[in-house]
Structures are given as C-alpha cells and as structure tokens.
Amino acid sequence: MPQPHTAARPPSRTILGFLDKIDDATVAGWALDPINPRTPLAMRVIIDGTVAEVIACDISRPDVAALNLPSAKVGFEFRIPPRFQDGLRHVLGFATIEGDRLRAGTV
C-alpha cells in the first residue's frame, strides 16, 4: 500500500542567545541568527500556546561584546501583558517568524 506523501520540513536553524531576566512583568535577554548575524532577529513570544507579540532583537547589548558577535544590537525586552500577571502558571516560549521553536537553554 503506498504511503501518503508528506513534505519534508527543513531542519530547524540554530539561534544563539541567552535569557538574562524573567520576573512577574518582564522577560529580557539576547538572541542572534548566525546565518544573518547583522539583521536583528524577529521572534514570536508565545504564552500558553498563543502568539502574544512579535519582538525585534535590536537593543544594544555591549555586555555581549566578549562573544565577538558581528553586532551588539541583539537584545530584547518583553513586558508580560497584565492578563498573564495573575499568579497562575503560564508557559512561555519563543520562536522565529518562520516557526522554529527556540529551545530552553538557547534563549
């Protein structure tokens, strides 16, 4: 019996980054796409499985200069919407615009 054809998904790209801060109201860090290192990365912020916002990683981060990145404009800061500051548990994630999920420990 023939197998149904499914399109092969290209492999996920690796995003460099680090999550520096997370508290009740803010998430901050830096992220960079090594394939396009001079172009600020656009990321989806996903809360409880829904895209809450799309943010640009374009804040100057001189502290990452020691990493010899092509640009120091790789930072991001996201203000968590008040509706998620309710004392309940929420799942936070990040993905590229193309949908590549950023894994824990990478951003």
Side-chain angles (χ1 to χ4, degrees), residues 3 5 7-8 13-15 17 20 28 36 43 50 52-53 55 62-63 70 78 85-86 90 92 94:
Q3 296 293 321
H5 177 70
R13 63 184 195 225
T14 299
I15 303 299
D20 296 316
N36 297 304
M43 288 196 307
T50 301
E53 192 170 332
I55 60 173
D63 60 311
F78 174 69
Q85 298 176 34
D86 56 9
H90 296 281
L92 175 70
F94 297 93

Short mmCIF file of all heavy atoms in Angstrom, two decimals, residues 3 5 7-8 13-15 17 20 28 36 43 50 52-53 55 62-63 70 78 85-86 90 92 94:
data_model
loop_
_atom_site.label_atom_id
_atom_site.label_comp_id
_atom_site.label_asym_id
_atom_site.label_seq_id
_atom_site.Cartn_x
_atom_site.Cartn_y
_atom_site.Cartn_z
N GLN A 3 2.47 4.84 0.74
CA GLN A 3 2.49 5.72 1.90
C GLN A 3 2.08 7.13 1.47
O GLN A 3 2.45 7.58 0.39
CB GLN A 3 3.89 5.77 2.51
CG GLN A 3 4.36 4.44 3.06
CD GLN A 3 3.52 4.04 4.26
OE1 GLN A 3 3.17 4.87 5.08
NE2 GLN A 3 3.20 2.76 4.35
N HIS A 5 2.25 11.01 0.98
CA HIS A 5 3.41 11.89 0.82
C HIS A 5 3.29 13.07 1.78
O HIS A 5 2.27 13.73 1.83
CB HIS A 5 3.49 12.39 -0.62
CG HIS A 5 4.61 13.36 -0.83
ND1 HIS A 5 5.92 12.95 -0.81
CD2 HIS A 5 4.62 14.68 -1.05
CE1 HIS A 5 6.69 14.00 -1.02
NE2 HIS A 5 5.92 15.06 -1.16
N ALA A 7 5.49 16.54 2.98
CA ALA A 7 6.64 17.39 2.65
C ALA A 7 7.64 17.35 3.78
O ALA A 7 7.28 17.42 4.95
CB ALA A 7 6.18 18.82 2.40
N ALA A 8 8.89 17.21 3.42
CA ALA A 8 9.94 17.22 4.42
C ALA A 8 10.12 18.64 4.95
O ALA A 8 10.18 19.59 4.18
CB ALA A 8 11.24 16.70 3.82
N ARG A 13 16.87 25.90 12.32
CA ARG A 13 18.16 26.57 12.40
C ARG A 13 18.49 26.81 13.86
O ARG A 13 17.62 26.85 14.72
CB ARG A 13 18.15 27.85 11.59
CG ARG A 13 17.18 28.88 12.08
CD ARG A 13 17.20 30.07 11.13
NE ARG A 13 16.55 31.18 11.78
CZ ARG A 13 15.67 31.95 11.21
NH1 ARG A 13 15.38 31.77 9.96
NH2 ARG A 13 15.12 32.94 11.87
N THR A 14 19.75 26.98 14.14
CA THR A 14 20.22 27.21 15.50
C THR A 14 20.27 28.70 15.75
O THR A 14 20.86 29.45 14.98
CB THR A 14 21.62 26.60 15.69
OG1 THR A 14 21.53 25.20 15.47
CG2 THR A 14 22.13 26.87 17.09
N ILE A 15 19.63 29.13 16.82
CA ILE A 15 19.64 30.53 17.23
C ILE A 15 20.52 30.63 18.47
O ILE A 15 20.37 29.86 19.40
CB ILE A 15 18.22 31.03 17.54
CG1 ILE A 15 17.30 30.84 16.34
CG2 ILE A 15 18.24 32.48 18.01
CD1 ILE A 15 17.70 31.57 15.08
N GLY A 17 21.70 32.65 21.84
CA GLY A 17 21.08 33.61 22.73
C GLY A 17 21.12 33.19 24.18
O GLY A 17 21.64 32.13 24.53
N ASP A 20 18.36 36.50 30.18
CA ASP A 20 19.01 37.14 31.33
C ASP A 20 18.06 37.41 32.49
O ASP A 20 18.49 37.46 33.64
CB ASP A 20 19.58 38.51 30.95
CG ASP A 20 20.67 38.45 29.93
OD1 ASP A 20 21.55 37.60 30.05
OD2 ASP A 20 20.64 39.29 29.02
N ALA A 28 13.79 39.36 29.48
CA ALA A 28 14.81 40.05 28.70
C ALA A 28 15.99 39.12 28.45
O ALA A 28 16.25 38.20 29.21
CB ALA A 28 15.29 41.31 29.43
N ASN A 36 22.21 35.09 9.54
CA ASN A 36 22.05 36.51 9.18
C ASN A 36 22.41 37.36 10.40
O ASN A 36 21.56 38.05 10.95
CB ASN A 36 20.61 36.80 8.76
CG ASN A 36 20.21 36.03 7.53
OD1 ASN A 36 20.86 36.12 6.50
ND2 ASN A 36 19.16 35.24 7.64
N MET A 43 11.36 37.67 16.73
CA MET A 43 10.90 36.48 17.44
C MET A 43 9.44 36.61 17.84
O MET A 43 9.00 37.69 18.22
CB MET A 43 11.71 36.28 18.73
CG MET A 43 13.11 35.82 18.53
SD MET A 43 13.85 35.17 20.06
CE MET A 43 13.58 36.48 21.22
N THR A 50 -0.21 30.61 22.45
CA THR A 50 -0.71 31.67 21.57
C THR A 50 0.36 32.75 21.42
O THR A 50 1.01 33.13 22.40
CB THR A 50 -1.98 32.31 22.18
OG1 THR A 50 -2.97 31.28 22.34
CG2 THR A 50 -2.55 33.39 21.29
N ALA A 52 1.74 36.04 21.66
CA ALA A 52 1.37 37.24 22.41
C ALA A 52 1.88 38.49 21.71
O ALA A 52 1.24 39.54 21.77
CB ALA A 52 1.94 37.18 23.83
N GLU A 53 3.03 38.39 21.06
CA GLU A 53 3.62 39.54 20.38
C GLU A 53 4.80 39.06 19.54
O GLU A 53 5.35 37.99 19.77
CB GLU A 53 4.11 40.56 21.41
CG GLU A 53 4.48 41.90 20.82
CD GLU A 53 4.73 42.95 21.88
OE1 GLU A 53 4.17 42.87 22.98
OE2 GLU A 53 5.51 43.86 21.59
N ILE A 55 8.55 40.41 18.60
CA ILE A 55 9.52 41.40 19.07
C ILE A 55 10.78 41.35 18.21
O ILE A 55 11.08 40.33 17.59
CB ILE A 55 9.89 41.18 20.55
CG1 ILE A 55 10.50 39.80 20.78
CG2 ILE A 55 8.68 41.40 21.44
CD1 ILE A 55 11.05 39.56 22.17
N PRO A 62 26.11 45.93 24.88
CA PRO A 62 27.57 45.94 24.89
C PRO A 62 28.18 44.82 25.73
O PRO A 62 29.31 44.42 25.51
CB PRO A 62 27.94 47.31 25.46
CG PRO A 62 26.68 48.06 25.66
CD PRO A 62 25.53 47.15 25.37
N ASP A 63 27.41 44.28 26.68
CA ASP A 63 27.93 43.19 27.52
C ASP A 63 28.19 41.90 26.75
O ASP A 63 28.92 41.04 27.22
CB ASP A 63 26.98 42.92 28.70
CG ASP A 63 25.60 42.52 28.25
OD1 ASP A 63 25.02 43.21 27.39
OD2 ASP A 63 25.06 41.53 28.78
N PRO A 70 28.93 39.77 15.47
CA PRO A 70 29.04 40.81 14.45
C PRO A 70 28.35 42.12 14.84
O PRO A 70 28.66 43.17 14.31
CB PRO A 70 28.36 40.21 13.22
CG PRO A 70 28.31 38.77 13.47
CD PRO A 70 28.30 38.57 14.96
N PHE A 78 10.70 42.12 26.79
CA PHE A 78 9.27 41.92 26.57
C PHE A 78 8.54 42.14 27.87
O PHE A 78 8.84 41.51 28.88
CB PHE A 78 9.01 40.50 26.04
CG PHE A 78 7.56 40.16 25.93
CD1 PHE A 78 6.76 40.77 24.97
CD2 PHE A 78 6.97 39.23 26.78
CE1 PHE A 78 5.41 40.45 24.86
CE2 PHE A 78 5.63 38.91 26.68
CZ PHE A 78 4.85 39.52 25.72
N GLN A 85 -0.21 38.24 34.39
CA GLN A 85 0.38 38.52 35.70
C GLN A 85 -0.68 38.27 36.78
O GLN A 85 -0.98 39.13 37.59
CB GLN A 85 0.89 39.96 35.75
CG GLN A 85 1.98 40.25 34.75
CD GLN A 85 2.40 41.70 34.77
OE1 GLN A 85 2.39 42.35 35.81
NE2 GLN A 85 2.76 42.22 33.61
N ASP A 86 -1.22 37.06 36.76
CA ASP A 86 -2.36 36.73 37.61
C ASP A 86 -2.04 35.72 38.71
O ASP A 86 -2.93 35.23 39.39
CB ASP A 86 -3.50 36.21 36.74
CG ASP A 86 -3.09 35.02 35.88
OD1 ASP A 86 -1.97 34.50 36.08
OD2 ASP A 86 -3.88 34.63 35.00
N HIS A 90 1.91 29.92 33.72
CA HIS A 90 1.77 30.10 32.27
C HIS A 90 3.03 29.55 31.60
O HIS A 90 4.10 29.54 32.20
CB HIS A 90 1.61 31.58 31.91
CG HIS A 90 0.36 32.17 32.46
ND1 HIS A 90 -0.88 31.98 31.89
CD2 HIS A 90 0.14 32.92 33.57
CE1 HIS A 90 -1.80 32.61 32.60
NE2 HIS A 90 -1.20 33.18 33.64
N LEU A 92 5.76 29.95 28.74
CA LEU A 92 6.38 30.98 27.89
C LEU A 92 7.33 30.31 26.92
O LEU A 92 8.10 29.43 27.30
CB LEU A 92 7.14 31.97 28.77
CG LEU A 92 7.95 33.04 28.07
CD1 LEU A 92 7.03 34.04 27.41
CD2 LEU A 92 8.87 33.73 29.07
N PHE A 94 9.51 30.94 22.83
CA PHE A 94 9.94 31.84 21.76
C PHE A 94 10.09 31.03 20.49
O PHE A 94 10.47 29.86 20.52
CB PHE A 94 11.29 32.47 22.10
CG PHE A 94 11.27 33.33 23.32
CD1 PHE A 94 11.59 32.81 24.56
CD2 PHE A 94 10.93 34.67 23.24
CE1 PHE A 94 11.57 33.60 25.70
CE2 PHE A 94 10.90 35.47 24.37
CZ PHE A 94 11.23 34.93 25.60
#
